[in-house]
Amino acid sequence: MTLAYVGLGANLGDREGTIRRAVELLGAEPGIEIVAVSALRETDPVGYADQPRFLNGATAVETELPPRELLDRLLAVERELGRVRGDGPRDGPRAIDLDLLLFGDEVVDLPGLTVPHPRLAWRRFALEPLYELDPGLRLPDGRAVEPWGVLAAQAQGEGRMTGEGRGQNDKLGPLGEGFMAGHGLQCG
């Protein structure tokens, strides 16, 4: 079994309900076990700014699936919840967004799949939930997954810092104690 981390996000419709349903659907997939779910955070949009704020979080999953098959399952859950990829502007509004952020300590570079997620180091909305789930988590290259340290090191090393993650991020609390307890899960 491999421990993988999936980013969760939504900014259309019932954001929390859709994220909750996505986690339920993932947990029902053969070969995927939900280990923990972070709190959700309300965050400013990144890239395409003219859209509603997002709810973002992450889930830790244990899986026997290879990375490509896990991604295929994530995309299938997105489709089931109404997401049409390629419809609308890049980084635009979406009912659900499931990103494979980390897959154990593996580095994956395949057409349509890069792990760790290629923009992870600049996305505080993804780093914060990862840090919450495991404060000792490290990227495959050894860098700590710590929202401020990774961002600072990446910005310094690349000589740039995007606006990603610099907006107001309001922690909204866990997905719901009843949901978590009902599924035997821990929160952060």
Side-chain angles (χ1 to χ4, degrees):
M1 294 285 263
T2 301
L3 183 62
Y5 292 89
V6 175
L8 309 167
N11 75 337
L12 296 176
D14 177 6
R15 301 172 305 168
E16 184 174 350
T18 303
I19 290 171
R20 178 179 293 134
R21 182 68 180 137
V23 172
E24 289 173 351
L25 290 170
L26 282 176
E29 287 284 332
I32 300 174
E33 179 183 335
I34 305 294
V35 175
V37 180
S38 76
L40 297 178
R41 292 142 175 82
E42 187 159 283
T43 63
D44 290 331
V46 172
Y48 184 79
D50 188 23
Q51 61 181 317
R53 294 186 86 198
F54 278 83
L55 279 187
N56 289 106
T59 184
V61 302
E62 285 192 346
T63 184
E64 56 192 36
L65 304 175
R68 170 67 72 193
E69 193 170 337
L70 178 57
L71 176 64
D72 290 343
R73 303 277 177 94
L74 297 178
L75 297 175
V77 168
E78 283 186 349
R79 283 190 302 274
E80 183 169 339
L81 294 173
R83 170 101 188 254
V84 179
R85 285 192 173 254
D87 189 25
R90 180 185 162 123
D91 296 327
R94 62 204 73 169
I96 188 68
D97 189 25
L98 303 175
D99 288 328
L100 182 53
L101 302 175
L102 294 168
F103 191 85
D105 61 0
E106 290 187 37
V107 174
V108 181
D109 191 9
L110 300 169
L113 176 60
T114 303
V115 178
H117 190 284
R119 292 175 299 285
L120 178 59
W122 287 284
R123 294 194 164 173
R124 188 170 173 181
F125 64 80
L127 292 168
E128 284 179 350
L130 288 176
Y131 183 78
E132 177 187 330
L133 291 171
D134 182 356
L137 187 61
R138 295 198 168 273
L139 297 174
D141 66 7
R143 289 181 294 162
V145 173
E146 191 271 326
W148 307 275
V150 173
L151 284 168
Q154 195 71 8
Q156 187 175 37
E158 298 290 332
R160 68 185 175 100
M161 173 72 88
T162 67
E164 297 183 28
R166 288 194 283 162
Q168 178 66 27
N169 294 321
D170 306 317
K171 191 170 180 179
L172 293 182
L175 229 65
E177 295 302 322
F179 171 78
M180 301 302 291
H183 289 81
L185 303 174
Q186 64 180 13
C187 183

